[in-house]
Amino acid sequence: MIFGTRRPQMSQEDFEELADKAPANVQLELVDGRLYVKGDHIEVDDFEELARRAPEGVKLELIDGKLEVKPLPDQRHGAVVMWLIRLFMRLRPELALYPEQGLKVGTYRKGHAKADAALAPLDHFVDQEGEWADADGVLMVVEVTSHDRDTDRRDRIDKVRGYAEAGIPVYLLIDRDNDTLVVYSEPKDGTYQQNPSYPYGAMVELPAPVNITLSTEKLKDYAD
């Protein structure tokens, strides 16, 4: 089991390329491998332009008003997401679990999160323009934690709030640090009212509007 692994979020080379392409009024800093905006504020339009210009392999998010670099997934992370995709193809064939789905979330939709997966009806995002889709109609989002220093704040705090504020009915957090699944549901006033936790191997109830039970024994094969 790996706890508290500290990995730089961005290389110096990627930072220099991103800073060179940033909008004229956006000044970036790289401190100890972490990306910052000078003044700690970035407008949504500037963020979207910056995200479009990001180097290959660099995925940016705007969470709770702060610029974030989403860690690149490792192989076990990808295996967990694929396990879920295959399950939903069988259990809810009228829906699709879209990997790496960009969503507008948070208060007044000023947040932009790249969910590891988003559950919605087939073709739900077809008519949406751009990388960042409206969260309306999304039934569930999924995040699988990465072994980086910002996972605790990003996946267990900021995204919980952002997804609840967007009114997404269910947020499934697969927490690889302690081999658990947390099911957040019943968003109200920007807060999920329910958040039961289950160990790997448990039968996990995903409430309405998802309405399925996950057998999670397979996740033990992906434990670190």
Side-chain angles (χ1 to χ4, degrees), residues 98-115:
Y98 298 86
E100 292 296 325
Q101 179 61 51
L103 295 172
K104 299 175 184 177
V105 301
T107 305
Y108 308 119
R109 305 302 172 90
K110 290 184 178 180
H112 289 60
K114 184 77 71 169

Side-chain angles (χ1 to χ4, degrees), residues 13 17 26 33 52 56 78 86-87 91 94-95 118 138 142 146 152 157 174 180 212 214:
E13 293 78 8
E17 181 178 346
V26 176
R52 287 194 297 269
E56 183 177 358
R86 289 172 59 86
L87 274 179
L91 298 174
E94 77 281 13
L95 304 176
V138 173
V142 179
S146 299
D152 185 60
I157 300 173
I174 300 179
T180 61
I212 68 169
L214 292 179

Side-chain angles (χ1 to χ4, degrees), residues 92 94-98 118-125 136-140:
R92 294 295 302 272
E94 77 281 13
L95 304 176
L97 195 59
Y98 298 86
L119 183 69
L122 284 170
D123 297 332
H124 177 74
F125 298 108
D136 290 348
V138 173
L139 308 182
M140 181 181 73

